[in-house]
């Protein structure tokens, strides 16, 4: 609690804390607890099985139609192939 009195800021209020460690004597069973302040704590971030790919689709001009481009962001498997991107882009580019 002493570190909270010294560090009064929004950052320390949101991102700091105390790590409690307990040691117990195997002979008498007495326990001793210590509290160590921390400003960062490493936590694993989950990995996703997909990624977002931004691409630009360019249509070729045909009789009576002009060329146009469409930029879209498609969700594809992380270890996917070009075919996955083509299928995802086709679903997104399809008129509603």
């Amino acid at each position: 609690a002493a570190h909270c009195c010294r560090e009064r800021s929004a950052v320390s209020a949101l991102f700091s804390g105390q790590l409690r460690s307990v040691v117990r004597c195997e002979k008498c069973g007495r326990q001793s607890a210590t509290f160590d302040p921390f400003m960062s704590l490493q936590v694993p971030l989950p990995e996703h099985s997909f990624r977002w790919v931004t691409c630009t689709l360019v249509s070729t001009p045909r009789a009576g139609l002009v060329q146009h481009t469409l930029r879209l962001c498609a969700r594809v498997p992380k270890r996917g192939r070009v075919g996955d991107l083509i299928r995802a882009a086709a679903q997104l580019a399809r008129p509603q």
Side-chain angles (χ1 to χ4, degrees):
H3 83 281
C4 293
C5 295
R6 289 190 306 265
E7 302 290 335
R8 289 185 178 245
S9 72
V11 173
S12 65
L14 291 172
F15 299 108
S16 68
Q18 290 185 348
L19 180 65
R20 179 177 182 226
S21 302
V22 178
V23 178
R24 186 173 66 83
C25 177
E26 291 184 9
K27 288 184 180 180
C28 68
R30 183 171 182 266
Q31 289 187 346
S32 172
T34 59
F35 296 88
D36 297 309
F38 64 84
M39 286 298 290
S40 65
L41 187 62
Q42 291 183 356
V43 294
L45 296 176
E47 272 200 44
H48 296 289
S49 60
F50 62 89
R51 70 177 65 213
W52 293 96
V53 176
T54 302
C55 60
T56 303
L57 300 177
V58 180
S59 67
T60 55
R62 293 185 228 144
L65 298 175
V66 295
Q67 178 180 353
H68 72 278
T69 61
L70 174 65
R71 186 179 177 137
L72 50 87
C73 187
R75 179 180 162 165
V76 296
K78 192 173 225 175
R79 298 193 182 272
R81 299 176 183 258
V82 173
D84 298 317
L85 176 60
I86 292 170
R87 280 188 292 281
Q91 287 180 346
L92 292 171
R94 196 173 347 168
Q96 300 293 330

